[in-house]
Amino acid sequence: MMYVTRREHFSSAHRLFNTAWSDERNQEVFGKCNNAAGHGHNYYLEVTVAGKVNPETGYVVDLKQLKDVIISRVIAKVDHRNLNVDVDFLRGVIPTAENIAIGIWGELVDHIPQGRLHQVRLYETEKNFVDYRGEA
Amino acid sequence: MMYVTRREHFSSAHRLFNTAWSDERNQEVFGKCNNAAGHGHNYYLEVTVAGKVNPETGYVVDLKQLKDVIISRVIAKVDHRNLNVDVDFLRGVIPTAENIAIGIWGELVDHIPQGRLHQVRLYETEKNFVDYRGEA
Amino acid sequence: MMYVTRREHFSSAHRLFNTAWSDERNQEVFGKCNNAAGHGHNYYLEVTVAGKVNPETGYVVDLKQLKDVIISRVIAKVDHRNLNVDVDFLRGVIPTAENIAIGIWGELVDHIPQGRLHQVRLYETEKNFVDYRGEA
Amino acid sequence: MMYVTRREHFSSAHRLFNTAWSDERNQEVFGKCNNAAGHGHNYYLEVTVAGKVNPETGYVVDLKQLKDVIISRVIAKVDHRNLNVDVDFLRGVIPTAENIAIGIWGELVDHIPQGRLHQVRLYETEKNFVDYRGEA
Amino acid sequence: MMYVTRREHFSSAHRLFNTAWSDERNQEVFGKCNNAAGHGHNYYLEVTVAGKVNPETGYVVDLKQLKDVIISRVIAKVDHRNLNVDVDFLRGVIPTAENIAIGIWGELVDHIPQGRLHQVRLYETEKNFVDYRGEA
Amino acid sequence: MMYVTRREHFSSAHRLFNTAWSDERNQEVFGKCNNAAGHGHNYYLEVTVAGKVNPETGYVVDLKQLKDVIISRVIAKVDHRNLNVDVDFLRGVIPTAENIAIGIWGELVDHIPQGRLHQVRLYETEKNFVDYRGEA
């Protein structure tokens, strides 16, 4: 068993707020992340695929194919976008790093070219990141 | 002569467009940076002060004081904000890295505790950055 | 299940030696880390919390609250300190990265605001780091 | 149980191709990695050792000894070398990151000074890396 | 005057040797860099353009256009290539970082879309880099 | 003219205080950097040499020779040391980043193998660094 990771990047705007809450409650919980006109981040995404090494290629997964899937199914939808309004797979959720990671997992899990999706790591800043492995 | 640099960070949303232009012209020039709902970045700011080393302290400038100036005059105004609408010193300019750097220079140049402001470097991403030294 | 990590920084002095040993034995085992007047590092601490995503906030843990706990219970005690003499939770242990990580785990494990402490990673340099998960 | 990681670096040339395949098949699968005269990378290797903390030293493993083993058994054989022709432990395999990691595991697993080898992580670039834990 | 920098990456093989010298002399001067089958690096290239900020765009230079020039005139020729044999603009020179930087300067200096080329910085590793400004 | 930079690392303890001052004055000026038992840093040193490229070697300066000079004249004296008491070239100065950089300049300026010393950059942390070019 081998774990192979590909790192990609996107730059997005977002705002954290719960539409069911009052402005006061949103400000109390989300603080500066609740700024009405939004803010943004350079996100770094690390997608890890687990699998056996193919003896003919020495690859678990062809990284060009994996990159193409990540670009077409994730990066093209989120890069230079507003995560609150522009992204189909984030409709109806608060775009925290946690929820973005879950959304990305859903976009990728059935489309890995070889092997299986093992983990999605998402860096929101150098100081904050989340890991999701599809566990309930 | 010694050059002392302090690095700080802020996360902001922005959108690039020229209000005097048509939508088509804006899209042609700014491309994905023109996304209507904006996008965002983790910016890294490096402020360089030039001066003589004070023999009593071994400092060109007290970095705690310099940090306080950077935080109060810049970071507090741009962090977790939208650079198109929330920032007084960016009113009326397109918030490109170049214009943000010029704005930051203006905020800092008369408020350096010791020494003189030498350079503002602004990283928009790991791959794009600008340097401004107040030169006409 | 989601894993959320917060990174913080501290700068400390330390010296590695075992008080029960001769100077020769200490020098043989700890080498340059045994320098009598000490040396120091910029440490990077990554604290990982595991838990369910709260559907109301999209958070596993409020990172502002987690940061406050890390600052008050760890960083305030070790930053710009000497780990051999200034830190209550390191009394009586050799301040190796391993023992510092165990001490930090003890400071944090009962004070995580939401979720549970999953891992403490401590970078002593870019080339040396340790992971501790509270396992016996 | 504690996990201790040491990071080292090497710079090597390689070319990806399967000697049992036609040129066309190699080009189709390996693309630019199949360039006849080769290409190369700055590889970063992270070796993780698991074990108990020795109460006399505060160490799981003496990092000087671990470093010496990594240098003598791995780095000295691959640094400033061509991985297709110069490295005994890569004879007969396509030098993908996956196969290099397996080769490094084999070089190290029986020579860890204290504790046991837990993981080999190999970065081929900032965007591509693999993890191997000796699992069948 | 503003300085705008774009960073790009390429991975190449090379070997350092002077064809006019004996094997012994090459080994004495170039040491492990003279390995007959070559070695390689992940190079990072930073291209800096100097110019006035265009008030209509807020740009010194359109980074998409600058990137396209760097990709087509440099990266496409050196990435996943052997710098001794595959690169037209390095014919007849020893591919040290210095000579690669001079070659890249020559490829770019007359093709900068707006502003003028100010500096080429080339990182061969994290520990070695060169700066060239076209100065005789 | 070409500028070649070599990066090296050292880990040291230090304490900032002026022996001519009262404890109160030292605490007021140096704050947490005045901690009696010291603190420490992982310092990164970048030494830049300027010169012509030698057409026979493609080098401005042989980096192995430059590295040897940096190691023997600087790193060996400061790594895993206390900068207040262990370092001959820092006797009698407050070991701020500024004064350490000046001391390192003095150690290196007459010992550069080829070319001439252009700049010493010293990172005390990721957020603080100084540049010294030998200017009065």
Side-chain angles (χ1 to χ4, degrees):
Chain A
M1 186 62 50
M2 178 77 63
Y3 302 87
V4 178
T5 300
R6 175 72 189 175
R7 181 177 172 101
E8 296 292 343
H9 170 263
F10 58 96
S11 293
S12 312
H14 75 159
R15 179 195 175 195
L16 301 188
F17 67 109
N18 183 329
T19 55
W21 288 352
S22 67
D23 287 356
E24 291 70 22
R25 178 72 178 135
N26 272 304
Q27 189 60 31
E28 182 189 331
V29 172
F30 294 113
K32 64 183 181 179
C33 299
N34 181 43
N35 182 53
H39 64 286
H41 297 291
N42 298 328
Y43 290 90
Y44 287 89
L45 169 64
E46 292 183 354
V47 175
T48 302
V49 171
K52 302 278 184 189
V53 180
N54 180 332
E56 285 204 302
T57 60
Y59 285 162
V60 167
V61 55
D62 185 317
L63 280 179
K64 293 184 299 296
Q65 294 179 25
L66 179 61
K67 177 185 172 179
D68 288 346
V69 169
I70 300 172
I71 297 293
S72 63
R73 296 196 60 84
V74 178
I75 304 300
K77 298 179 182 176
V78 294
D79 186 35
H80 284 71
R81 301 287 178 175
N82 184 313
L83 303 178
N84 294 82
V85 300
D86 291 327
V87 183
D88 56 2
F89 68 80
L90 294 175
R91 291 269 181 279
V93 302
I94 305 171
T96 58
E98 289 92 330
N99 280 335
I100 303 169
I102 293 173
I104 290 172
W105 178 276
E107 285 296 294
L108 294 177
V109 65
D110 293 332
H111 299 272
I112 300 299
Q114 298 99 37
R116 62 174 174 75
L117 185 59
H118 174 68
Q119 181 175 277
V120 166
R121 172 171 286 191
L122 185 68
Y123 289 85
E124 195 168 75
T125 69
E126 287 185 357
K127 303 181 85 169
N128 299 342
F129 62 90
V130 299
D131 295 313
Y132 184 59
R133 298 186 173 188
E135 299 166 331
Chain B
M1 185 62 51
M2 177 78 62
Y3 302 87
V4 178
T5 300
R6 175 70 188 177
R7 180 177 173 102
E8 295 292 345
H9 170 262
F10 59 96
S11 294
S12 312
H14 76 158
R15 178 196 175 195
L16 301 188
F17 67 108
N18 184 328
T19 54
W21 288 353
S22 67
D23 287 356
E24 290 71 22
R25 179 75 178 132
N26 273 303
Q27 189 60 30
E28 183 188 329
V29 171
F30 293 114
K32 62 184 182 178
C33 299
N34 181 42
N35 183 52
H39 65 285
H41 298 290
N42 298 326
Y43 290 90
Y44 286 88
L45 169 64
E46 292 183 353
V47 175
T48 301
V49 171
K52 301 277 183 191
V53 180
N54 180 332
E56 284 204 303
T57 61
Y59 286 161
V60 167
V61 55
D62 184 318
L63 281 179
K64 293 184 300 295
Q65 295 179 26
L66 179 61
K67 176 184 173 179
D68 288 347
V69 170
I70 301 172
I71 297 292
S72 63
R73 295 195 61 83
V74 178
I75 304 299
K77 298 179 181 177
V78 293
D79 186 35
H80 283 72
R81 300 288 179 176
N82 184 313
L83 304 178
N84 295 82
V85 300
D86 291 329
V87 183
D88 56 3
F89 68 78
L90 295 175
R91 289 270 181 278
V93 302
I94 305 172
T96 58
E98 289 91 331
N99 280 334
I100 303 168
I102 292 172
I104 290 171
W105 178 278
E107 284 296 293
L108 294 177
V109 66
D110 292 332
H111 299 271
I112 301 299
Q114 300 98 35
R116 62 172 173 76
L117 184 58
H118 173 69
Q119 181 177 279
V120 166
R121 172 171 285 191
L122 184 68
Y123 289 85
E124 194 168 76
T125 69
E126 286 185 357
K127 302 180 87 168
N128 300 341
F129 63 90
V130 300
D131 295 314
Y132 185 60
R133 298 185 172 188
E135 300 165 330
Chain C
M1 186 61 52
M2 179 76 65
Y3 301 86
V4 178
T5 300
R6 174 72 188 175
R7 181 176 172 102
E8 296 292 344
H9 170 262
F10 58 96
S11 293
S12 311
H14 75 159
R15 179 197 175 194
L16 301 187
F17 67 108
N18 183 328
T19 55
W21 289 352
S22 67
D23 288 356
E24 291 71 23
R25 179 73 178 134
N26 273 303
Q27 189 61 30
E28 181 189 330
V29 171
F30 293 113
K32 63 184 181 177
C33 299
N34 180 43
N35 183 52
H39 65 286
H41 298 290
N42 299 328
Y43 290 91
Y44 287 88
L45 170 64
E46 292 184 353
V47 175
T48 302
V49 171
K52 302 277 184 191
V53 180
N54 180 332
E56 285 204 302
T57 60
Y59 285 161
V60 167
V61 55
D62 184 318
L63 280 178
K64 293 184 299 297
Q65 295 179 26
L66 179 61
K67 176 184 172 179
D68 287 347
V69 169
I70 300 172
I71 296 293
S72 63
R73 296 196 59 84
V74 178
I75 304 300
K77 297 178 180 177
V78 294
D79 186 35
H80 283 72
R81 300 288 179 174
N82 184 314
L83 303 179
N84 294 84
V85 299
D86 291 328
V87 183
D88 57 2
F89 68 79
L90 295 175
R91 289 269 181 278
V93 301
I94 305 171
T96 58
E98 289 91 331
N99 280 335
I100 303 168
I102 293 172
I104 290 172
W105 178 277
E107 284 297 293
L108 294 177
V109 66
D110 293 332
H111 300 271
I112 301 299
Q114 299 98 35
R116 62 175 173 73
L117 184 59
H118 173 68
Q119 181 177 279
V120 167
R121 172 172 285 192
L122 185 68
Y123 288 85
E124 194 168 76
T125 70
E126 287 184 356
K127 302 181 86 169
N128 299 341
F129 62 90
V130 300
D131 295 313
Y132 184 60
R133 298 184 173 188
E135 300 165 331
Chain D
M1 185 63 52
M2 178 76 64
Y3 301 87
V4 178
T5 300
R6 175 71 189 177
R7 180 177 172 100
E8 295 293 343
H9 170 262
F10 59 96
S11 294
S12 312
H14 76 157
R15 179 196 174 195
L16 301 188
F17 67 110
N18 184 328
T19 55
W21 287 353
S22 68
D23 287 357
E24 290 70 23
R25 179 73 178 133
N26 273 303
Q27 190 60 31
E28 182 190 329
V29 171
F30 293 114
K32 64 184 181 178
C33 299
N34 181 42
N35 182 53
H39 65 287
H41 297 290
N42 298 327
Y43 291 90
Y44 286 88
L45 170 64
E46 292 183 354
V47 175
T48 301
V49 171
K52 302 277 184 192
V53 179
N54 180 332
E56 285 204 302
T57 60
Y59 285 162
V60 167
V61 54
D62 184 316
L63 280 179
K64 292 184 299 296
Q65 294 179 25
L66 179 61
K67 176 185 174 180
D68 287 347
V69 169
I70 300 171
I71 297 293
S72 63
R73 295 195 59 84
V74 178
I75 304 300
K77 297 178 182 178
V78 293
D79 186 36
H80 283 72
R81 299 289 179 175
N82 184 313
L83 304 178
N84 294 82
V85 299
D86 291 329
V87 183
D88 56 2
F89 67 79
L90 294 175
R91 289 270 180 280
V93 302
I94 305 171
T96 57
E98 289 92 329
N99 279 335
I100 304 168
I102 292 172
I104 291 171
W105 178 277
E107 285 296 293
L108 295 177
V109 66
D110 293 332
H111 299 271
I112 300 299
Q114 299 100 34
R116 63 173 172 75
L117 184 58
H118 174 68
Q119 181 176 279
V120 167
R121 171 171 285 192
L122 184 69
Y123 289 85
E124 195 168 76
T125 70
E126 286 185 357
K127 303 181 86 169
N128 299 340
F129 62 90
V130 300
D131 295 314
Y132 185 59
R133 298 185 173 190
E135 299 165 333
Chain E
M1 186 62 52
M2 179 76 63
Y3 302 87
V4 178
T5 300
R6 175 71 189 176
R7 180 177 171 100
E8 296 292 343
H9 170 262
F10 58 97
S11 293
S12 312
H14 75 159
R15 179 195 175 195
L16 301 187
F17 68 108
N18 184 328
T19 55
W21 287 353
S22 67
D23 287 356
E24 290 71 24
R25 179 72 178 134
N26 273 301
Q27 189 60 31
E28 182 188 328
V29 172
F30 293 113
K32 63 183 183 179
C33 299
N34 181 42
N35 183 53
H39 65 286
H41 298 290
N42 298 327
Y43 291 90
Y44 286 89
L45 170 64
E46 292 183 353
V47 175
T48 301
V49 171
K52 301 277 182 191
V53 180
N54 180 331
E56 285 205 301
T57 60
Y59 286 161
V60 167
V61 55
D62 184 317
L63 281 179
K64 292 185 298 297
Q65 294 178 25
L66 179 61
K67 176 185 173 180
D68 287 346
V69 169
I70 300 172
I71 296 293
S72 63
R73 296 195 59 83
V74 178
I75 305 300
K77 297 178 181 178
V78 294
D79 187 34
H80 283 72
R81 300 288 178 175
N82 184 312
L83 303 178
N84 295 83
V85 300
D86 291 328
V87 183
D88 55 3
F89 68 78
L90 296 174
R91 290 268 181 279
V93 301
I94 304 172
T96 58
E98 289 90 331
N99 280 334
I100 304 169
I102 292 173
I104 290 172
W105 177 277
E107 285 296 294
L108 294 177
V109 66
D110 293 332
H111 299 271
I112 301 299
Q114 299 99 36
R116 63 175 172 74
L117 184 59
H118 173 68
Q119 181 177 278
V120 166
R121 173 170 284 192
L122 184 68
Y123 289 85
E124 195 167 75
T125 69
E126 287 185 356
K127 303 181 84 168
N128 299 341
F129 63 90
V130 300
D131 296 314
Y132 184 61
R133 298 186 173 187
E135 300 165 331
Chain F
M1 186 63 51
M2 178 77 63
Y3 301 86
V4 178
T5 300
R6 175 72 189 175
R7 181 175 170 101
E8 296 292 342
H9 170 263
F10 59 96
S11 293
S12 312
H14 75 159
R15 179 196 175 194
L16 301 188
F17 68 107
N18 183 329
T19 55
W21 288 353
S22 68
D23 288 356
E24 291 70 22
R25 178 75 178 131
N26 272 303
Q27 189 61 30
E28 182 189 328
V29 171
F30 293 114
K32 63 184 181 177
C33 299
N34 181 42
N35 182 54
H39 65 285
H41 297 290
N42 299 328
Y43 291 90
Y44 287 89
L45 169 64
E46 292 183 354
V47 175
T48 301
V49 171
K52 301 278 184 189
V53 180
N54 180 332
E56 285 204 301
T57 59
Y59 285 161
V60 166
V61 56
D62 184 318
L63 281 178
K64 293 183 298 298
Q65 295 179 26
L66 179 61
K67 176 184 173 180
D68 288 347
V69 170
I70 300 171
I71 296 293
S72 63
R73 295 196 60 83
V74 178
I75 305 300
K77 297 179 181 177
V78 293
D79 186 36
H80 283 71
R81 300 289 179 176
N82 185 312
L83 303 178
N84 294 83
V85 301
D86 291 329
V87 182
D88 57 2
F89 68 79
L90 295 175
R91 289 268 181 280
V93 302
I94 305 172
T96 57
E98 288 91 332
N99 280 335
I100 304 168
I102 292 172
I104 290 171
W105 178 277
E107 285 296 293
L108 294 177
V109 66
D110 293 331
H111 299 271
I112 300 299
Q114 299 98 36
R116 62 175 174 74
L117 184 59
H118 174 68
Q119 182 177 275
V120 166
R121 172 171 285 191
L122 184 68
Y123 289 85
E124 194 168 76
T125 70
E126 287 185 355
K127 303 180 86 169
N128 299 341
F129 62 89
V130 300
D131 295 313
Y132 184 60
R133 298 185 172 188
E135 299 165 331

